[in-house]
Amino acid sequence: MKNLKYLLIGMLFGIILVKSEVISWFRIQEMFRLESFHMYGVIGSAVITGILGVLLIRKLGIRTISGEAIVLPKKPFTKGNIFGGLIFGLGWAITGACPGPLFAQIGSGFTVVIVTLLSAVAGTWVYGLLKEKLPH
Amino acid sequence: MNPIQEPWPWYVAGPLIGLTVPLLLIIGNKALGVSSSLRHICAACFPGKIPFFNYDWKKESWNLFFVGGIALGAVFCLAFMHNGEPVQLNEATITALKAQGVQEFDELMPGDIFNWGNITSPIGLLFFVTGGFMVGFGTRYANGCTSGHSIMGLSTLQWPSLVATICFMAGGFVMTNFILPHLMKWLLL
């Protein structure tokens, strides 16, 4: 039951992704063709809001609702940030979806994206298989 | 503007997406990130003997509820918040895509590409299988996606997330402008 709240937050997140049209393959094309500000506006204002939110949490010493200290996980640098980032970027422009929007595209009725999602799971699995052999 | 039926402008949607970061932290010390769910699915369904998938994924199950919620939220939009209008795209984008063979512009996705009829065709192989594989492989190799790096990582001012985000954009820019147009003309025209 404690996970139900994450289902609800996920629903809100999904509604925002759909209503802002960031799950649209067309919007991704428009962004990478530099023909619309929309996607840059969404991502840019999301980052600024996120920075301010995290800053407030730190400055005010806000804790979680159950009273724990808030932990901000570190993302250590690896060469994967570059190689993996480029591979993901190339794929993002094809599917018109990063992982979050994949789930939202399926929910929006484009059920064939289930195949894309399963392929993404396969890609993740193959990464796990080859991890030790890849440059990091 | 009717906020139920009409699409939301960037200055409404962006801040709401950004608020997800402090919300998840305050609710349960969770870091926003979607691509991890793909790893948890691997760990839950077919971990094999691969060390990368042998961990207690149940401890991270909140993430699976979160992505399930994303799909449900989209279903909710389709049922109650849908205006049935085409996406208001730049005319230049529409013209260029038409020249590359895209015909249907009346929904969020081009229906002539994203339909089950293409599942066994080269179109499906490119847009669903190859594209999906690259998204899954690339995000895990990069240790995060647009949400984990570009939103969460940048919100916490981590420079590796900026490197990753620049690479996401570079890859997308190259594919959209230099590779995909040729592939689409070949497959769709």
Side-chain angles (χ1 to χ4, degrees):
Chain A
M1 279 327 268
K2 67 181 167 59
N3 279 321
L4 210 58
K5 55 184 181 281
Y6 299 112
L7 187 85
L8 287 173
I9 299 174
M11 277 189 76
L12 291 173
F13 196 69
I15 289 170
I16 303 163
L17 294 182
V18 175
K19 293 311 289 182
S20 59
E21 297 177 331
V22 300
I23 68 160
S24 167
W25 182 88
F26 293 118
R27 285 278 184 220
I28 306 302
Q29 285 282 312
E30 214 183 27
M31 163 176 70
F32 287 132
R33 295 174 54 84
L34 305 175
E35 289 169 344
S36 169
F37 178 72
H38 182 80
M39 290 292 305
Y40 298 101
V42 170
I43 298 173
S45 59
V47 170
I48 291 168
T49 311
I51 289 174
L52 292 176
V54 171
L55 201 69
L56 275 179
I57 286 175
R58 277 185 173 153
K59 291 279 174 216
L60 303 178
I62 294 172
R63 303 176 85 81
T64 69
I65 44 172
S66 55
E68 295 168 47
I70 285 178
V71 184
L72 300 172
K74 285 263 177 286
K75 291 259 191 193
F77 177 75
T78 75
K79 292 191 193 94
N81 294 145
I82 297 169
F83 300 135
L86 289 171
I87 295 169
F88 162 53
L90 292 164
W92 184 15
I94 299 175
T95 61
C98 35
L102 279 182
F103 292 95
Q105 288 178 350
I106 295 168
S108 296
F110 296 91
T111 51
V112 73
V113 176
I114 290 170
V115 180
T116 316
L117 178 64
L118 291 176
S119 303
V121 172
T124 302
W125 192 85
V126 169
Y127 169 75
L129 185 71
L130 302 178
K131 185 172 184 281
E132 302 308 322
K133 298 190 177 93
L134 295 167
H136 279 88
Chain B
M1 182 188 124
N2 175 348
I4 305 294
Q5 305 290 338
E6 297 299 311
W8 297 350
W10 63 266
Y11 49 83
V12 173
L16 288 174
I17 291 174
L19 282 176
T20 316
V21 170
L23 181 65
L24 282 172
L25 287 171
I26 290 170
I27 293 274
N29 239 339
K30 305 300 185 203
L32 175 67
V34 173
S35 63
S36 307
S37 67
L38 304 174
R39 182 185 179 187
H40 304 326
I41 292 170
C42 288
C45 299
F46 17 77
K49 290 196 167 66
I50 300 169
F52 190 63
F53 298 124
N54 283 280
Y55 61 94
D56 187 5
W57 62 272
K58 285 181 186 153
K59 276 191 179 159
E60 305 294 329
S61 57
W62 76 272
N63 196 253
L64 296 170
F65 281 84
F66 182 72
V67 298
I70 293 177
L72 281 179
V75 171
F76 182 88
C77 282
L78 187 64
F80 303 110
M81 302 175 79
H82 191 58
N83 70 353
E85 298 280 323
V87 180
Q88 296 296 310
L89 297 167
N90 186 330
E91 281 300 325
T93 309
I94 296 178
T95 307
L97 290 176
K98 277 184 178 163
Q100 293 166 19
V102 178
Q103 292 169 14
E104 293 183 22
F105 289 85
D106 46 0
E107 290 179 273
L108 277 171
M109 308 278 283
D112 44 346
I113 295 173
F114 291 89
N115 73 70
W116 284 98
N118 287 332
I119 184 85
T120 55
S121 75
I123 297 175
L125 187 66
L126 172 66
F127 284 92
F128 315 147
V129 179
T130 310
F133 189 92
M134 290 169 83
V135 168
F137 185 90
T139 51
R140 201 68 275 120
Y141 193 3
N143 192 26
C145 61
T146 338
S147 56
H149 274 308
S150 308
I151 308 292
M152 184 68 198
L154 292 186
S155 292
T156 50
L157 305 177
Q158 303 197 47
W159 68 268
S161 291
L162 183 61
V163 173
T165 300
I166 290 168
C167 292
F168 300 165
M169 300 306 292
F173 186 80
V174 167
M175 177 58 72
T176 302
N177 292 284
F178 303 116
I179 306 175
L180 199 57
H182 302 291
L183 293 174
M184 290 209 294
K185 278 181 190 163
W186 180 50
L187 293 173
L188 300 175
L189 285 176

